Amino acid sequence: MYDADHARPAQSGRRAILHDMEPTADDFLGAALKGLSSTPKALPHRFLYDAEGSALFDRITRLPEYYPTRTEIGILRDNAADIAARVGPNVQLVELGSGSSVKVRILLDALDNPYAYVPIDISRDHLAGAAQAIQDAYPDLRVEAIAADFAQPFDLPPRGAGKRVGFYPGSSIGNFTPAEAESFLKLWAGRLGAGAMMLIGVDLQKDASILEAAYDDAQKVTAAFSLNLLARANRELGADFDLKAFRHEARYRADEGRVEISLVALKDTEVTLDGRRFTFEEGERLHVEDSWKYTLPGFRALADRAGWEAETVWIDPDGLFSVHMMRVRP
Ligand SMILES: C[S@@+](CC[C@H](N)C(=O)[O-])C[C@H]1O[C@@H](n2cnc3c(N)ncnc32)[C@H](O)[C@@H]1O
């Protein structure tokens, strides 16, 4: 479906295409009711990103404690020419969870005559603005955005003469459990198809103090990001969460390699959603998100099981973050 209404007016005259398959409020309601009925209670992390959540995430990327964004940008800048040489000319670059489409500019500046850029994101209005900004900056590039849950079935636009290259930065793969990550990479090996490559950012296991500060910063922007999930349920679903009754918490479970992000009830509290009442006892956790961290061999083995063979990997000098290049195994 082509939905040009969401794209900002273009300075170049060319408008980014937007295919709109964003999940509806019904999806959010069903997932929220299911999550609040489960033990422990949880809300699905994909709903963290509405326009407000995407804007808060952009602020997170600029926080001093949030090392992943600046570290991954450094790796991409340092290796852009090598990346471009390895993928070759005329590629269709498909970005998974593209957010503000900042990092992709490093690739677009280095690639040899890219054929098209296909940003995919669940946060539709934010995606539309970001896609149009790329279209304005690269007027000759075909920009074809897809507002969708990238784990759901949909077709990609035709790829032209070059390779399809997936770009999945931000260590968003860490928001899936390792088993889910394996299924997800398998799904995308099939969707990108034979001969495709993938460039994926993967955060590495490290000291708990660095990780917990990155997900619970002094300015409390990450806390506002988590609490926006409750605010969004109030706005869109008519829930009545008392936001002051919860505090944000990030704990690194080193034995599992996972930062667990929760909202913890500060007192006994309750919420009504769709006519159903859910109670929280003081200290009870509402699970919001996990961020799994990997070792280099651990991630490589997972990707291998999902049908991807390693091409190369780059890491920063401090060993904080990795960017893997992989290809679909023939
Ligand atoms: C951690 S941010 C990363 C943004 C950007 N790629 C970066 O590296 O800075 C995750 C992005 O993925 C998007 N996202 C999260 N879950 C998604 C889903 N199920 N389908 C599509 N996009 C999703 C969010 O809206 C957000 O823009």
Side-chain angles (χ1 to χ4, degrees):
M1 191 193 330
Y2 175 51
D3 182 357
D5 289 347
H6 292 94
R8 278 198 293 114
Q11 285 143 28
S12 64
R14 186 165 180 178
R15 294 179 77 98
I17 295 169
L18 180 65
H19 301 278
D20 191 355
M21 303 167 213
E22 191 198 35
T24 63
D26 283 352
D27 299 325
F28 186 17
L29 178 62
L33 287 171
K34 188 168 170 222
L36 289 172
S37 309
S38 61
T39 311
K41 293 185 181 68
L43 285 175
H45 60 85
R46 64 184 182 282
F47 293 103
L48 283 163
Y49 295 91
D50 59 351
E52 180 68 22
S54 296
L56 283 166
F57 182 76
D58 277 352
R59 285 181 59 199
I60 290 173
T61 64
R62 295 190 288 272
L63 291 169
E65 296 95 332
Y66 198 75
Y67 64 87
T69 302
R70 62 175 175 273
T71 310
E72 188 177 34
I73 286 176
I75 296 172
L76 292 171
R77 280 211 181 109
D78 289 349
N79 298 287
D82 191 8
I83 293 168
R86 286 173 190 267
V87 301
N90 310 124
V91 299
Q92 183 194 49
L93 191 59
V94 179
E95 182 167 359
L96 286 62
S98 47
S100 292
S101 289
V102 170
K103 296 167 186 166
V104 75
R105 289 170 184 251
I106 301 168
L107 302 184
L108 291 173
D109 290 342
L111 287 172
D112 177 4
N113 194 27
Y115 166 72
Y117 173 52
V118 181
I120 303 170
D121 207 286
I122 201 165
S123 187
R124 181 186 49 202
D125 293 350
H126 196 80
L127 169 71
Q132 191 57 54
I134 293 288
Q135 186 68 84
D136 292 346
Y138 301 86
D140 297 333
L141 183 70
R142 185 178 175 79
V143 179
E144 198 159 344
I146 303 178
D149 178 344
F150 51 32
Q152 294 304 309
F154 56 84
D155 292 327
L156 291 172
R159 76 177 155 83
K163 277 194 196 70
R164 237 181 209 144
V165 178
F167 180 44
Y168 192 20
S171 203
S172 300
I173 191 74
N175 296 138
F176 293 117
T177 65
E180 288 167 349
E182 190 178 322
S183 305
F184 184 77
L185 289 179
K186 209 174 272 173
L187 170 86
W188 274 92
R191 189 173 282 169
L192 292 169
M197 299 181 85
M198 164 100 86
L199 193 62
I200 179 169
V202 181
D203 199 9
L204 297 173
Q205 294 182 3
K206 61 183 65 64
D207 196 79
S209 61
I210 301 176
L211 288 167
E212 290 179 356
Y215 293 92
D216 191 4
D217 62 288
Q219 294 172 54
K220 300 292 168 206
V221 183
T222 38
F225 179 67
S226 293
L227 285 164
N228 178 55
L229 191 52
L230 306 190
R232 182 179 182 185
N234 289 353
R235 278 194 299 273
E236 293 183 19
L237 306 179
D240 60 355
F241 278 107
D242 174 4
L243 269 61
K244 292 200 177 64
F246 293 89
R247 74 177 168 82
H248 166 90
E249 183 188 79
R251 291 192 298 189
Y252 183 48
R253 297 184 171 277
D255 50 334
E256 296 177 68
R258 159 175 85 100
V259 181
E260 183 184 51
I261 297 152
S262 312
L263 290 168
V264 186
L266 290 163
K267 57 179 186 181
D268 290 356
T269 184
E270 59 184 45
V271 60
T272 303
L273 176 63
D274 199 34
R276 288 173 61 186
R277 202 161 61 117
F278 299 92
T279 56
F280 288 81
E281 285 175 18
E282 182 180 341
E284 189 175 345
R285 285 189 164 69
L286 172 67
H287 183 261
V288 172
E289 189 175 38
D290 283 323
S291 187
W292 288 81
K293 307 300 171 187
Y294 286 92
T295 61
L296 290 178
F299 181 75
R300 209 167 246 195
L302 184 153
D304 184 71
R305 290 194 297 275
W308 291 91
E309 66 186 26
E311 161 95 6
T312 191
V313 61
W314 296 276
I315 56 171
D316 58 291
D318 297 322
L320 295 173
F321 199 93
S322 60
V323 175
H324 297 245
M325 179 170 271
M326 345 188 267
R327 60 175 73 243
V328 176
R329 194 180 304 114

